[in-house]
């Protein structure tokens, strides 16, 4: 079987999770090509080398640019902070490499637009690009999408989406790069809210057209990582709340925060339609709550669908019913879909244009918050 | 024991529930006076008479004004639609009767302000008035208030409140008075949202200072009740969504709808603070989810507190632990508190001024929605 | 409307709950006769008088035998401990009174058999008798019975039933009458297990034919109520566990205990059949979990049916969907059914023969436990 | 780093899951040696070769006996049906290989005893052996063990354990090897019940001393796999129910079945002690319900502990809080513990003697069921 050479850039949390997925995917799914974990790139040589050994990469490099020139590398997987995405991705695409890029796609609409433009050019040459919104590959959510697509919810009226974490509850937690606008772009908005925006647009197969938003920074100064007795300014949002409208007529509430004490990874989505509803919470990621409005009233209620049946998305490759999956399986699914797409020459989804679409919503959120929450249209939207 | 004569106005859903509470309260709680279910008032004589017999009232009347002149009536309990609240309540107060009034207090800020002014005058003469936000008397929510008051949540950061019902999902459901602005004032906003506003202000002991809102009417025309083949215009909101800020610094999302397929009476509130969180859903009304942030991380998690212990609010009068209460018990609690307050001459809570405060928030919501969701200050608020 | 005079014997916990139901039933349900709360009987005159005033009875008496001679008393409702049930019930039936008797029917099979025999004689004269297994009247469980009756579960394979409380966890809790065999008959077995036996036989419309049992007393000595520094022997079971078979082929596990720390009133029943399953926990009494095996695998799962729809048993008389009921509503339902039955001359269910059937199962449990858990047939069973 | 050569025997469901764990463990945990996936053994050469390629083994073999002679193989991992465990394990131990053996350890006490004896001999020579009860390595259950060990539950009173699946609900499901006594040893008892027995003994660090049991085969004839129009006899139990006592005084109910419609992998355990309780259901494997009896009554309740904190067992190696794990992670943990133990020369747990102990309980269950459920002591137990 032909090999698909992969270079991964970045080896922190996301790099480790992607590595696990690259190591696993070919042993679980039938793939048209064989992923080859060629090289791991990092900023510092020694750290990259140690990470490569630990995470299962053949080689390491401190110079991603040189890696782009290698013939045995066909894919570049970008797991760095958001401020370097556009440079690496555009260079990789220009070098004829397929690109998988962590979310959010970029730190600004301008960067994202440039990336999407480059991706479009590359696509004409058969080069694929994808943004790593892994939650689309939670089987329960992929199932939700199928149910909505088949009309089981009827006309969608309501979306309520919240992504709740609590790791900033302590005001003494340090000022990491995730709290600095120049590195992270934004705070809860880009880190958590971006997932919500992509997921809800995916589930409904629809676009957000406008928003009214509030941003809040509860703790404006935090201890520096390097020098804990000094503090620095938090320059991103601690929490983001917004209402939104979809082109298809649904109204929505969104909320992203790292101050929801006791909620660890509470990505929650509920969608209500004229014929039924779905509800999901990532903390119980194998479960989809599904209300079928066509059930007889007397025996109707939200069904706790355990999304582990052979007929559920991605499950054919795994275990018998009830043998639940975890967070890292979503990346294995994502990479499986990416590999299948690039091997067949069809565009992987979500593409950079989807990432741009998300970025434009985040941008509208920030603009609305800056002008007294006034209703703000998403640029480039359908309507 | 001295008697407390009661006149009830209205005998539809709310009238029946209040009647159950008046019949029950004296047999369960130790009261300083004995409620006497003197007279039930309705618009039509025959209907009122039949209802009085069924619901346990000694007499009936089609003329509430004459009832106000009776010496054996000390309390007027108003269970009519919102458009008649202010007339009845003001007349009753002027006649020296204590008043318990269903929510929302009125259909406009002007009416509510007039009522609150009259209530304040009456209070000087020892006359009590109260607005019937019964959900304050859910033991689990009264417990939540106690926990917050005692500082168990620390500084409150987030409120998320939703009241989800689904009885309008069917576009063929008829155009009742609840869908007509001139009778009901507003739609989901006043019917459901009013509860959320009062409850969250009560739980936090804080005030909403501003909002940014969206109103939506999904089904603008519905069949007439009298003539189902014709349709009439729905003149209220089907759904209301808004973000808000509290004086104390918390940010909030609110949502009220009757289009959440499969949700029957899903009044849900979650509050996150710097030290802990609470979460509640009326569909499981005996449960309070409580996260104590001071628990050791390894054995911490949301506790499902079954609010049926003898030490929980109102429970001393009822059953052993685990013998759960229902919807109507909240009214028995409400009337217990009302009776105790008026008998002792202390002002019952929530008073008409609390009702006015809620009305002002609803008004700000409508004004914000009318001007592109712009941030809108609540009138008369603290800040 | 004709009056139905009622005498209640006993005014502790059960007496208070029955009183609430008698006070309420005629105001909520359409009844063919009007219950008249004539007289409350107790052992001590002053206590009975005070209780009558508090609970809403016209008169009181310390001599239940004389009450049986009153013409204005048509019903005797027995809420005393189990050791007096048979004397009162038999005397009342001989006096031509309808009898409602708290569970368990008696403290021994012999007593229960005598009561059932008397009830059968009385039935020939149109006199009704009923044992107060109130949990049959939980709407969610009445719905479960309907679903099973209609074949929605197919052939029943499994029953697992547990009744979990925790009020004896503390070894210093005093030695009340419930821990003395001569007053209570048995411990967790008769108090809690009796409910499980009746309910499962009711749900399946089937009979338990044999059992294998273990009884356990964890804390054999407890402080005396009267003299806390002395202790007395606990002469009943703290916990009962048994396996069982039903005539129709189902196998079952049963467990009753007051030592399940954190479980307050955890009456839990799960039934699995060839076509579906139901599961229930009284701590969430408005919910029935229902798995319909005929749903498509991909969208199937246990449905959380909120048993508050107008089409659910008893709900027509109450509130809109989602406005949940509590423990005391089950007694109102029970008394509604009792009144309707005796007024129409049809035998109320469960009758004393059902109570006897339960008693025989409890007896088989005790006999099995006494002979090394050997399989023990239930006397008088179908097979 | 030194290599630890591994031979895996069997490549069906369990073989695939173990392979995933062997591939993953060294990349996630810091190990003292480097696992080397040397050879995969199967009965048929071509199938083994294909499986080796798919699952990541360097070589394949149809002759496990010859593999035992290889110097580069240090570990034999047995994933075959139970009837071949003893032969392979004993041979491997005699050849000086560490052995990891799937559960149940054997199909009879005699086989298990021979294996345990051989394991004891091998242990003297520094050879480790372990039985693969993977559920001990669910973080939530490992946490439960810690809590019980630290006395957080006080004195244990109750255990209720059930393992509920539903893949035999359909009477037309074929007669696989799992339904044949000569291959599988027993049915639900050995397949599912064995897990419950091991887990509860592990959690309590205690031994089951006696049982009273019922076995049931609901569908005695099923279609042959090879010839679906003919049927063959089911020679194992479809369901097993038993009560049990632990040496430490706890009483227990156990149930294992494949007929619980709608339950997919419902391994449920609840333990109640004098100071607290825990409850678990594998379908929500990341959650431990924990009741701390020392909490104030007013704010106490079962805590939903999401066992994904860095301080929880095994979690240090994985993801941030709330990023849940799945079924296969339990095998990675198991193999991590196995590798660490054999590398350090300390005996891995659970050892073959633990497996034997489980086998003796299963045997007592079968003997009790064969003699009218009479109480039956577990052989070789402490008491």
């Amino acid at each position: 079987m032909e090999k698909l050479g992969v270079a991964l850039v970045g080896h922190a949390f996301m790099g480790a999770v992607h590595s696990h997925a690259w190591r696993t995917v070919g042993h679980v799914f039938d793939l048209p090509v064989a992923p080859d974990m060629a090289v791991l790139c990092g900023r510092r040589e020694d750290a990259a080398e140690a990470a490569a050994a630990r995470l299962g990469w053949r080689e390491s490099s401190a110079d991603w640019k040189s890696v782009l020139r290698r013939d045995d590398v066909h894919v570049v997987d970008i797991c760095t902070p958001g401020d370097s995405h556009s440079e690496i991705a555009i260079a990789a695409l220009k070098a004829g490499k397929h690109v998988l890029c962590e979310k959010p796609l970029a730190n600004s609409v301008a960067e994202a637009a440039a990336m999407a433009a480059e991706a479009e050019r590359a696509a004409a040459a058969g080069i694929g690009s994808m943004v790593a919104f892994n939650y689309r590959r939670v089987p329960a959510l992929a199932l939700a999408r199928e149910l909505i697509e088949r009309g089981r919810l009827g006309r969608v009226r309501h979306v309520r989406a919240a992504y709740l974490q609590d790791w900033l509850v302590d005001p003494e937690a340090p000022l990491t790069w995730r709290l600095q606008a120049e590195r992270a772009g934004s705070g809860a908005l880009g880190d958590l809210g971006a997932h919500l925006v992509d997921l809800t647009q995916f589930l409904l197969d629809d676009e957000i057209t406008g928003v009214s938003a509030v941003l809040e920074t509860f703790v404006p100064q935090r201890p520096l990582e390097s020098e804990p007795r000094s503090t620095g300014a938090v320059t991103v949002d601690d929490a983001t709340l917004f209402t939104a409208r979809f082109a298809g007529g649904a109204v929505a509430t969104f909320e992203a925060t790292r101050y929801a004490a006791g909620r660890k990874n509470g990505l929650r989505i509920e969608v209500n339609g004229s014929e039924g509803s779905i509800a999901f919470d990532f903390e119980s990621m194998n479960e989809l709550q599904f209300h079928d409005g066509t059930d007889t009233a007397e025996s109707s209620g939200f069904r706790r669908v355990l999304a582990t049946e052979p007929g559920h998305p991605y499950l054919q490759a795994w275990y018998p019913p009830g043998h639940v999956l975890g967070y890292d399986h979503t990346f294995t699914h994502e990479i499986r879909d990416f590999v299948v797409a690039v091997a067949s020459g069809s565009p992987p989804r979500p593409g950079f244009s989807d990432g741009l679409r998300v970025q434009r919503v985040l941008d509208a959120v920030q603009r609305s918050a800056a002008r007294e929450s006034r209703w703000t249209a998403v640029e480039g939207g359908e309507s």
Side-chain angles (χ1 to χ4, degrees), chain A residues 13 39 59 81 85-86 129 131 149-150 160 166 181 206 225 234 238 321 326 335 376:
Chain A
F13 173 29
V39 54
E59 299 172 31
H85 286 185
S86 85
S129 49
V131 56
E149 211 162 32
R150 279 188 238 138
R160 63 194 65 83
D166 73 354
D206 196 1
E225 283 191 289
V234 174
D238 278 339
I335 283 176
T376 302

Side-chain angles (χ1 to χ4, degrees), chain A residues 5-279:
Chain A
V6 183
L8 179 75
V9 192
H11 48 75
F13 173 29
M14 274 304 113
V17 178
H18 281 232
S19 297
H20 177 84
W22 282 112
R23 281 195 317 265
T24 302
V25 63
H27 298 296
V28 175
F29 290 96
D30 285 329
L31 297 180
V33 293
D36 173 39
M37 296 171 68
V39 54
L40 178 63
C41 307
R43 275 178 301 175
R44 283 178 32 224
E45 209 154 313
D46 51 349
E49 192 180 335
R54 185 165 39 86
L55 298 175
W57 298 86
R58 269 197 290 116
E59 299 172 31
S60 65
S61 166
D63 177 17
W64 61 263
K65 288 180 188 170
S66 70
V67 167
L68 293 188
R69 292 191 292 269
R70 287 170 60 154
D71 285 345
D72 65 337
V73 167
H74 311 101
V75 167
V76 175
D77 181 354
I78 305 171
C79 290
T80 57
D83 57 345
S84 56
H85 286 185
S86 85
E87 185 191 3
I88 304 173
I90 289 172
L93 289 169
K94 282 185 192 298
K97 311 302 184 192
H98 306 292
V99 175
L100 174 61
C101 183
E102 257 307 315
K103 48 59 57 183
L105 187 56
N107 280 0
S108 70
V109 168
E111 285 176 347
M115 293 167 80
E118 191 59 45
E120 201 179 334
R121 275 191 291 276
I127 299 300
S129 49
M130 181 173 172
V131 56
F133 284 116
N134 65 302
Y135 290 121
R136 288 192 181 201
R137 269 72 186 197
V138 173
L141 286 173
L143 170 63
R145 158 75 182 237
E146 286 184 15
L147 292 171
I148 294 172
E149 211 162 32
R150 279 188 238 138
R152 298 289 292 273
L153 264 56
R155 184 158 182 182
V156 174
R157 302 297 196 190
H158 283 287
V159 172
R160 63 194 65 83
Y163 200 151
L164 309 179
Q165 296 185 343
D166 73 354
W167 53 277
L168 287 183
V169 159
D170 180 0
E172 298 304 313
L175 188 73
T176 67
W177 69 265
R178 288 184 179 274
L179 303 180
Q180 299 167 13
E182 64 279 16
R183 299 293 309 283
S186 65
L189 175 61
D191 183 23
L192 308 181
H195 277 301
L196 297 179
V197 169
D198 180 66
L199 263 179
T200 55
Q201 293 193 141
F202 166 68
L203 289 172
L204 273 61
D205 197 15
D206 196 1
E207 298 201 353
I208 293 172
T209 57
V211 300
S212 163
V214 171
L215 298 188
E216 175 69 28
T217 303
F218 295 117
V219 178
Q221 294 279 328
R222 286 184 173 272
L224 298 178
E225 283 191 289
S226 50
E227 203 184 336
R229 279 173 309 186
S230 302
T231 61
V234 174
T235 51
V236 300
D237 55 294
D238 278 339
T240 298
L241 293 73
F242 59 100
T243 53
R245 289 181 180 275
F246 283 80
V251 293
T253 61
F254 284 85
E255 183 180 4
T257 181
R258 295 135 162 186
Y259 283 76
R263 303 301 181 191
K264 300 306 176 182
N265 205 32
L267 190 170
R268 302 177 189 174
I269 295 186
E270 179 162 341
V271 180
N272 308 125
S274 58
E275 307 287 328
S277 293
I278 62 97

Side-chain angles (χ1 to χ4, degrees), chain A residues 307-330:
Chain A
T308 58
E309 295 293 313
H312 287 146
Y314 306 106
L315 263 293
Q316 192 64 55
W318 296 107
Y319 312 121
H323 293 70
V324 297
L325 303 187
Y327 174 68
D328 55 36
H329 296 77
T330 65

Side-chain angles (χ1 to χ4, degrees), chain A residues 286-300:
Chain A
N286 294 275
E287 299 176 25
L288 181 69
Q289 305 293 331
F290 169 51
H291 169 72
D292 185 336
T294 66
D295 285 335
T296 323
E298 276 73 38
S299 57
S300 114

